[in-house]
Amino acid sequence: MQILRWLVYVMTYRCVSALRPIKPNTVILVSTRGHTLSDNLIRLDTYLDKTTFKVTTFFFASSGSSFGTMMRRFRFMIAMAQTQYTIIDDFFPLIYTLKVRPGGHLVQIWHALGALKRVGYSRHGKPGGPPPTSLSHRNYTDVIVSGDQICGNYAEAFGIPLAHVHPTGIPRSDLFFDDKEQAVITAALYSEIPQLQDRRVILFAPTFRGLGKITAHYPPAFLDLEKLGACLGERDLLVLKMHPFVKDRPEIPAAYQDKIIDLSDYPEFNHLLLACDLLITDYSSAIFDFALLRRPVIFYVPDLAEYEGERGFYYPFEDYTYGPVTKDCDELVEAMATAAIDEDLLTRFCDQFLNRCDGHATQRFVETVLQ
């Protein structure tokens, strides 16, 4: 089914590969999550602009079979067949039935740091996981990760030899080591969203439930905004950042609209993390980004046993928890009043998952993988 769906594009790639050589020092950056580059891809674009690499960008945020989408796919296949490095940072079905031509590279720089929820072929046997015959994620030539100890997890997830998994660190993590860039970003953020300034910002950022984009949701029973609003102090601001897949947004009680705001549509998640004093999350990879800021986290996991059974983690859940674990709203309220950093747990966590994120990941990626 996968092969038939994309056959006409695959044949285009093969024909161009047979007729034209690969152009050296060429890079394609592919975004499937927006109409502008962000996160890893914008960092690479900025860095490569100072090198001899020629960079082309393609955007596939919209899907479907419109004429414009089909023509963009054909243009991409023609370009990819002649490009030395094609770089993606998410799931991208269009290319999974391709056999990458000799001399070409298909590089996955996965958008999440660390190794938390099982992805790719690591989900085989789980609800919604791929069958053994699935081609998804199976033809990458190179993958990068945030730490030495998790190379095997990504080799398993993407069906790639361990030698082709590179612990370079993740480019977007460089932000958390650049004080000047952080100051510029936070100043712009406060100008755009003045409610964030001079407040104790508590960011509530859970991941979605469901098998994917179509069924994604967050259980309303988990989020009691009346109870959370009542516990907020005078300087507290609770910011809601629901997963982009979740379309149903919680209704903020009228009595607390000066203390609770919904920024789910704000595009730059890492920018919000910079303005955040306390993170509340569950099974989101945000715990890896936020660890680099060394600020407190509360894990709010009412459905831990169910989620672990259905989705699964690469390691026991306690390996990820460098903050208090809460199972209901009452426990969450109590933890919000006393949340603090456990330096020993946080250091252990960073050593296990993030030891190659040191402010030089973008440079190391280019020098290791592209050169």
Side-chain angles (χ1 to χ4, degrees):
M1 290 290 290
Q2 287 177 289
I3 293 171
L4 289 175
R5 181 182 180 187
W6 305 112
L7 182 61
V8 64
Y9 304 111
V10 172
M11 294 307 297
T12 300
Y13 177 86
R14 290 180 178 177
C15 288
V16 176
S17 297
L19 295 172
R20 296 182 183 177
I22 288 178
K23 302 172 184 176
N25 292 332
T26 50
V27 174
I28 289 177
L29 302 178
V30 183
S31 173
T32 61
R33 293 184 290 149
H35 300 286
T36 58
L37 297 179
S38 62
D39 293 337
N40 288 323
L41 298 179
I42 189 64
R43 292 215 158 254
L44 284 177
D45 189 47
T46 301
Y47 187 94
L48 292 173
D49 189 50
K50 304 171 186 176
T51 69
T52 58
F53 285 97
K54 181 179 179 182
V55 178
T56 306
T57 57
F58 281 88
F59 301 98
F60 290 95
S62 58
S63 58
S65 57
S66 70
F67 179 76
T69 298
M70 290 189 291
M71 293 306 298
R72 188 161 61 254
R73 289 171 181 162
F74 279 119
R75 289 194 297 269
F76 168 72
M77 286 298 184
I78 293 169
M80 181 181 173
Q82 304 171 77
T83 297
Q84 192 172 11
Y85 299 99
T86 299
I87 301 174
I88 63 177
D89 75 341
D90 211 330
F91 181 71
F92 189 38
L94 177 60
I95 48 83
Y96 292 142
T97 54
L98 289 178
K99 182 178 180 180
V100 180
R101 68 179 295 187
H105 297 263
L106 178 58
V107 186
Q108 174 61 263
I109 58 169
W110 196 243
H111 55 280
L113 281 68
L116 177 56
K117 301 185 293 285
R118 290 182 174 272
V119 299
Y121 197 68
S122 297
R123 293 186 64 200
H124 176 59
K126 296 285 185 179
T133 55
S134 173
L135 299 176
S136 297
H137 294 303
R138 309 305 281 182
N139 60 346
Y140 304 139
T141 60
D142 301 273
V143 174
I144 65 170
V145 296
S146 59
D148 296 293
Q149 295 188 43
I150 59 175
C151 291
N153 304 131
Y154 280 73
E156 175 191 86
F158 298 143
I160 189 171
L162 190 61
H164 291 221
V165 181
H166 311 284
T168 62
I170 304 301
R172 66 186 180 88
S173 70
D174 289 349
L175 167 65
F176 301 113
F177 299 89
D178 190 329
D179 292 338
K180 291 183 178 179
E181 184 179 4
Q182 289 182 38
V184 170
I185 289 172
T186 52
L189 185 63
Y190 292 150
S191 177
E192 183 179 357
I193 311 171
Q195 302 100 303
L196 297 173
Q197 196 164 9
D198 300 323
R199 305 286 289 271
R200 178 192 181 225
V201 177
I202 304 167
L203 183 63
F204 182 82
T207 193
F208 69 94
R209 306 306 192 269
L211 298 180
K213 194 171 185 178
I214 303 299
T215 60
H217 65 283
Y218 185 75
F222 290 177
L223 186 56
D224 188 339
L225 290 181
E226 290 281 358
K227 185 171 289 187
L228 293 179
C231 83
L232 295 174
E234 185 177 341
R235 289 188 60 252
D236 290 343
L237 179 68
L238 179 63
V239 175
L240 308 179
K241 185 73 170 73
M242 309 308 289
H243 191 279
F245 287 178
V246 176
K247 302 308 178 186
D248 293 331
R249 303 293 167 74
E251 184 176 346
I252 299 173
Y256 300 113
Q257 291 187 359
D258 61 331
K259 292 186 177 183
I260 304 175
I261 61 174
D262 188 348
L263 295 182
S264 298
D265 293 327
Y266 190 80
E268 295 292 346
F269 183 67
N270 278 356
H271 293 186
L272 290 179
L273 290 181
L274 295 179
C276 173
D277 299 292
L278 170 64
L279 174 67
I280 302 170
T281 189
D282 44 22
Y283 323 112
S284 168
S285 63
I287 61 172
F288 299 105
D289 303 78
F290 206 60
L292 297 173
L293 292 171
R294 304 193 76 85
R295 298 174 190 171
V297 172
I298 298 172
F299 294 83
Y300 180 50
V301 288
D303 58 344
L304 176 58
E306 178 183 352
Y307 193 92
E308 188 169 16
E310 291 183 355
R311 181 67 186 258
F313 307 109
Y314 282 105
Y315 300 92
F317 189 67
E318 55 267 25
D319 283 9
Y320 303 105
T321 53
Y322 55 93
V325 178
T326 61
K327 297 291 185 65
D328 58 45
C329 207
D330 290 330
E331 291 182 0
L332 176 59
V333 167
E334 183 178 347
M336 287 168 62
T338 59
I341 299 171
D342 186 318
E343 291 290 350
D344 291 339
L345 286 177
L346 181 55
T347 298
R348 181 211 68 186
F349 178 85
C350 291
D351 288 345
Q352 181 175 356
F353 295 107
L354 304 167
N355 73 310
R356 298 295 278 173
C357 294
D358 57 4
H360 305 286
T362 305
Q363 177 182 347
R364 190 181 298 114
F365 167 74
V366 172
E367 293 176 352
T368 301
V369 180
L370 303 191
Q371 297 179 345

